[in-house]
Amino acid sequence: QSTESSGINAEYGSSQTHTLPCCCRPFILGSSCDMKLYLLGLVCLVTLSGLCRAEDPIVEGTVEEDLGKSTIGSKTDDETVEREEEAIKLDGMNVAQMKQLRESAEKHTYQAEVNRMMKLIINSLYRNKEIFLRELISNASDALDKIRFLSLTDPSVLSATPDLKVMIKPDKENHALHIIDTGIGMTHDDLVKNLGTIAKSGTSEFLAKMEEGDTEVSSDLIGQFGVGFYSAFLVADTVVVTSKNNADEQWVWESDASSFTVAKDPRGDTLGRGTHISLFLKEEAYDFLEEHTIKDLVKKYSQFINFPIHMWTSRTEKVEEAVEPEADATPKEGETDDDVKVEDEDDEKPKVKMVDKTVYDWEVMNDNKPIWLRSPKEVDDADYVAFYKSFSKDSDEPLAHVHFTAEGEVTFKSILFVPKTAAHDLYQDYGKAVDNIKMYVKRVFITDDFEEMMPKYLAFIKGVVDSDDLPLNVSRETLQQNKLLRVIKKKLVRKALDMLKKMSAEDFKKFYKEFGTNIKLGVMEDHSNRNRLAKLLRWQSSNDEEEMTSLEGYVERMKEKQDHIYFMSGTTRAECEKSPFVEKLLKKGYEVIYLIDPIDEYCVQNLPEFEGKKFQNAAKENLNLQDNDKVKETMEKLGRDYDTMLNWLKEKVLTSGIDKAILSTRLVESPCALVASQYGYSGNMERIMKSQAYAKSGGQDVPNQKKILELNPFHPLVQEMNKLYKADEDGEQAKDLAHALYDTALLRSGYSLKDTVAFSERMDKLLRKSYSIDMSAKVEIPPEFDEEEKPASTEEVPASEETPVSEEKPKDEL
């Protein structure tokens, strides 16, 4: 073989060696004729090998896919086909239809105003892109409303598609989101007019605020059909709208936000009637193709749309699948073919197994209908409870609700609820904006971020408000300045207070336990509704040890010629009952209200009167007990007897603590009390002021107000002090007794001692006297208590064994 090979190589001038097939070797050894035959056979062999490429070995390596294609010049045919195939996937059209659509499309440019707005939307509205779905569903709902309205007079308009609904279908494969409605649809002119221009309402304000950089409000300004539709470009690069109106053929509108085209749909009438919007999403918006994302947005914004919203969803189900019988039917050892056949005949039931199967179907997303649109007579309590739990996420039933329609300057429907329990942080975050009132416009959720929809003290009220009179493109800021909102707020507050007033006694008792502080805050904050709120106040009183009383009940029980509502403030009911200030009031049969919450006294200060009766603090001066003439005459005689001692207390003994000292008719068992001036702080209020979290240390924020010392001239201690004063006005006994009475009056009146050390020393002196203990007696402490504790004992080391102490430390230690 090598000889033959070398001969061939020499003849053809090749330096390579070749191994020829055996079938070609006879031709090599022959003559020149044979050589010709050999060459002919070789040509045939090469031809045959070209036709049998499948048998060739695979050569590893890579070849550039775009080899020979120019990235700058015209595209190759296969790229054109690929683009057309992609278009087929997107639009559901074949290549011929796509070509026809492109050729017949009318090209339009947006108005300058639209171009400005499109740039602002795409570049500025990055914070709240999710509103695009709200707007497109709202537009679909409007289109359905229009066709339903026309059908009232002409039922034939629904003949093409009788069902009125909205459908949402995500397409993850092509990154497209489809929103379809069976509404009125749009003609060719409608597409150019509605989608090529901006609705006038709200447009100028929208553009102005957007160009000012006010992105905080821009997402909520979107709303009118024109502006709302363009929110689609927040998430989409390309938007395709296919629409069919009864009065026109089916048209396709397409835009990439720079211009738009309109063309007759080459597929003909595929919708019957309605509009199909296809959004081809940007990469950062792919999350809007997820089922859970779409469901959350529909539930948040559009769950109360009048028409059903269907979504193309998938679910996994367990299904039975037949198991293929085994092909091996060979008889086992000891069996015959007949035995195997008999067993097969007996096994009549086919074997099956359970497998997971993905099932796709349309699912209704808005099962909850807006019950506020129905008449209250048609809704039962179970419906209200179910609705409350669905929108408030509260597991408890509401305590009360009110369902009403308001008419006048603005018409709206509303349902308000009172929760059963207060939020744990209700007062820690008091005044913080909450989302308990949800604002709808034509059943479309707008926002729940209104700080002024309800006053702060009613922030616990939950509910919905739906108005057809407000513009859909309203923002939080513009609505807060809207006159209609102020009207809505006023009516909501009135209805909420009326709802609380009509609650049963048992339910109101539960309510007041949870939200009583809010009512008191309302008295302080809402002066326009102060009288309504005052009727909701409840306090403990001397009339009943268990049940709380209302101001209306107190007024009904007032004594004849009683001009004031008496109250006493303190930390507990027991403290108020035993206060020296109420002794005479209770003895004469007057009812006293006990204010034991820190906010109570603030509340009463903002409530000067109730039904013509003024409030009177029992701990302040000018308490009118309607004494008769004999009492006044007796007090005048006692005043002449005690006059000098009273001046002595003010001028010499208690100069820094009291403004004056007088004889009192309000005291019965107590020797004295410290009374605040008409505009001063009571003991309870002073304690509250000093305990404020942001108060200065040492109570520097509380002014040092002098009090009035009222003495009971019939008390033995006061009479004794008068005797000691007359015997020796400079004597220590009179002064010590005066200081002791003053200190006890401070404590019993609710004030704090300023010098506790001096108080302790005086009490020590008085106790020594009362128990006949020598004033000079010292505390005798045994000597062992004065010795200092010695360190732990160590064995004494003999002097001879003591280690000598070197004057210098070793180098290592240094």
Side-chain angles (χ1 to χ4, degrees), residues 203-487:
T203 303
S204 58
E205 182 182 6
F206 177 82
L207 291 173
K209 290 198 174 185
M210 286 288 291
E211 291 182 340
E212 290 171 5
D214 193 358
T215 58
E216 182 71 20
V217 302
S218 52
S219 62
D220 289 310
L221 279 171
I222 288 181
Q224 288 291 352
F225 182 79
V227 180
F229 171 78
Y230 292 123
S231 65
F233 289 101
L234 290 169
V235 296
D237 288 320
T238 302
V239 178
V240 177
V241 179
T242 305
S243 193
K244 172 68 173 68
N245 185 282
N246 288 335
D248 201 350
E249 298 177 292
Q250 186 166 303
W251 295 85
V252 178
W253 180 97
E254 184 177 355
S255 174
D256 59 358
S258 60
S259 61
F260 67 93
T261 60
V262 181
K264 185 182 297 184
D265 195 333
R267 296 169 298 181
D269 182 3
T270 60
L271 294 176
R273 186 195 66 253
T275 301
H276 181 150
I277 301 176
S278 300
L279 309 179
F280 301 105
L281 303 183
K282 302 174 183 178
E283 185 175 355
E284 64 269 19
Y286 285 172
D287 184 55
F288 293 110
L289 296 172
E290 301 294 333
E291 283 188 18
H292 66 87
T293 302
I294 299 174
K295 288 181 178 179
D296 290 344
L297 292 180
V298 171
K299 189 172 184 180
K300 178 179 180 181
Y301 291 109
S302 307
Q303 65 172 326
F304 299 117
I305 291 292
N306 283 337
F307 305 96
I309 301 175
H310 299 265
M311 179 178 171
W312 187 250
T313 59
S314 63
R315 66 180 186 276
T316 302
E317 293 182 351
K318 291 284 186 180
V319 297
E320 293 183 352
E321 184 178 278
V323 180
E324 296 182 2
E326 297 181 1
D328 186 10
T330 58
K332 299 180 181 178
E333 186 177 351
E335 293 181 346
T336 63
D337 293 341
D338 295 336
D339 295 333
V340 174
K341 292 178 181 178
V342 170
E343 290 179 2
D344 292 342
E345 291 172 358
D346 293 339
D347 192 9
E348 296 178 357
K349 297 181 180 180
K351 296 182 179 180
V352 295
K353 62 179 180 179
M354 302 301 294
V355 297
D356 292 335
K357 183 179 180 181
T358 302
V359 180
Y360 291 87
D361 198 2
W362 292 104
E363 178 183 350
V364 179
M365 306 301 299
N366 56 338
D367 289 333
N368 292 329
K369 298 302 178 183
I371 66 173
W372 62 80
L373 298 180
R374 295 155 57 185
S375 171
K377 298 179 181 179
E378 301 174 359
V379 186
D380 56 25
D381 290 340
D383 293 333
Y384 285 120
V385 171
F387 173 71
Y388 171 76
K389 290 182 177 181
S390 69
F391 91 90
S392 68
K393 306 300 183 290
D394 192 348
S395 58
D396 295 328
E397 296 183 3
L399 269 180
H401 69 269
V402 60
H403 182 183
F404 64 96
T405 299
E407 298 178 348
E409 294 181 66
V410 58
T411 300
F412 67 91
K413 300 178 185 293
S414 177
I415 303 180
L416 302 178
F417 296 91
V418 178
K420 193 172 185 178
T421 56
H424 67 280
D425 58 348
L426 178 62
Y427 301 116
Q428 285 82 348
D429 294 332
Y430 182 74
K432 182 181 178 181
V434 293
D435 56 358
N436 289 337
I437 301 294
K438 301 186 182 299
M439 185 70 189
Y440 290 83
V441 175
K442 300 177 182 178
R443 274 75 63 201
V444 178
F445 175 71
I446 299 301
T447 184
D448 52 13
D449 192 17
F450 285 120
E451 295 181 6
E452 298 299 328
M453 182 60 75
M454 273 289 193
K456 292 184 291 185
Y457 69 92
L458 289 179
F460 63 88
I461 297 289
K462 299 182 179 182
V464 296
V465 177
D466 188 359
S467 175
D468 292 345
D469 294 343
L470 292 173
L472 190 62
N473 66 328
V474 75
S475 70
R476 294 188 301 273
E477 286 73 12
T478 56
L479 197 55
Q480 285 169 0
Q481 299 171 1
N482 196 311
K483 179 183 177 182
L484 297 180
L485 177 66
R486 292 194 291 270
V487 175

Side-chain angles (χ1 to χ4, degrees), residues 7 86 104 121 125 200 260 527 768 773 784:
E86 183 179 2
S104 61
I121 286 179
L125 275 181
K200 295 181 180 180
F260 67 93
H527 294 176
R768 283 173 181 266
I773 298 174
E784 59 267 21

Side-chain angles (χ1 to χ4, degrees), residues 178-189:
H178 305 280
I179 297 97
I180 308 114
D181 68 75
T182 58
I184 194 169
M186 287 180 281
T187 64
H188 171 276
D189 294 340

Side-chain angles (χ1 to χ4, degrees), residues 122-182:
I122 297 172
N123 298 325
S124 301
L125 275 181
Y126 54 84
R127 185 177 60 88
N128 192 17
K129 295 182 178 182
E130 64 185 30
I131 60 159
F132 83 93
L133 190 59
R134 178 192 77 181
E135 298 304 323
L136 295 181
I137 293 177
S138 299
N139 294 343
S141 177
D142 290 341
L144 292 166
D145 271 328
K146 291 176 181 178
I147 195 67
R148 182 176 62 178
F149 178 76
L150 293 176
S151 69
L152 297 177
T153 55
D154 183 10
S156 63
V157 297
L158 298 178
S159 58
T161 308
D163 293 336
L164 300 180
K165 59 186 177 180
V166 179
M167 294 173 285
I168 303 174
K169 185 175 182 179
D171 181 3
K172 291 185 179 180
E173 182 180 354
N174 297 307
H175 309 301
L177 182 64
H178 305 280
I179 297 97
I180 308 114
D181 68 75
T182 58

